[in-house]
Amino acid sequence: MTDQQVETLSKPTLIAAEPQLFVADIAASCAFYTSKLGFTVAFTYGEPPFYAQVVRDGARLNLRCVPAPPIDPQRRDNEHLLSASITLDNASLLFLEFQAACVEFHQALRTEPWGAQTFTVRDPDGNLILFSGQGE
């Protein structure tokens, strides 16, 4: 076995990323993600809940209750500070689904100069979540 083969075998593999979003109310956030964005609640933790995870297909978002937003809302909006980025196969279809659910968009569907189609959703706590897929 060569040194390169040994190095490849001993390298760990990253399997997934699970961004943590800061929210004011776990129950209200879970309700938003399930009713508006089509996620399901994987779990909630604590009594009352202070931590939760929502999942849709391969995307997982962790929700953590905090008493005040850790990022200045005006700066977040002005600088488009994303809390999470989710890739998918068809951004147009998901945008239409979210539009029908009356989701608030920070950025409407657009085609980027590099060809990706993107849009950004704002959750009730102001978290900006980018959805990105291949262009048509």
Side-chain angles (χ1 to χ4, degrees):
M1 191 176 287
T2 69
D3 288 342
Q4 185 176 1
Q5 289 171 321
V6 169
E7 183 180 324
T8 301
L9 289 175
S10 63
K11 253 182 150 176
T13 301
L14 303 180
I15 295 173
E18 298 177 1
Q20 182 165 264
L21 308 180
F22 301 113
V23 301
D25 182 319
I26 292 294
S29 293
C30 286
F32 169 80
Y33 282 95
T34 57
S35 68
K36 297 285 189 176
L37 302 187
F39 283 74
T40 58
V41 175
F43 67 85
T44 60
Y45 182 76
E47 191 54 51
F50 62 88
Y51 199 79
Q53 184 180 81
V54 292
V55 60
R56 177 170 174 170
D57 304 320
R60 294 180 180 276
L61 300 172
N62 295 320
L63 309 175
R64 172 139 183 236
C65 189
V66 295
I71 297 175
D72 174 54
Q74 186 173 1
R75 182 173 183 201
R76 177 199 57 227
D77 292 347
N78 291 342
E79 297 182 28
H80 313 286
L81 300 177
L82 300 174
S83 296
S85 178
I86 298 173
T87 56
L88 61 146
D89 58 355
N90 191 319
S92 299
L93 286 177
L94 191 62
F95 178 80
L96 292 173
E97 176 187 321
F98 289 174
Q99 198 172 43
C102 299
V103 170
E104 181 183 348
F105 295 98
H106 176 75
Q107 171 209 301
L109 182 68
R110 71 179 183 203
T111 301
E112 302 292 352
W114 54 89
Q117 286 192 312
T118 67
F119 64 90
T120 306
V121 167
R122 177 191 313 278
D123 80 1
D125 292 282
N127 291 300
L128 301 179
I129 301 145
L130 174 77
F131 292 86
S132 177
Q134 293 186 2
E136 294 181 30

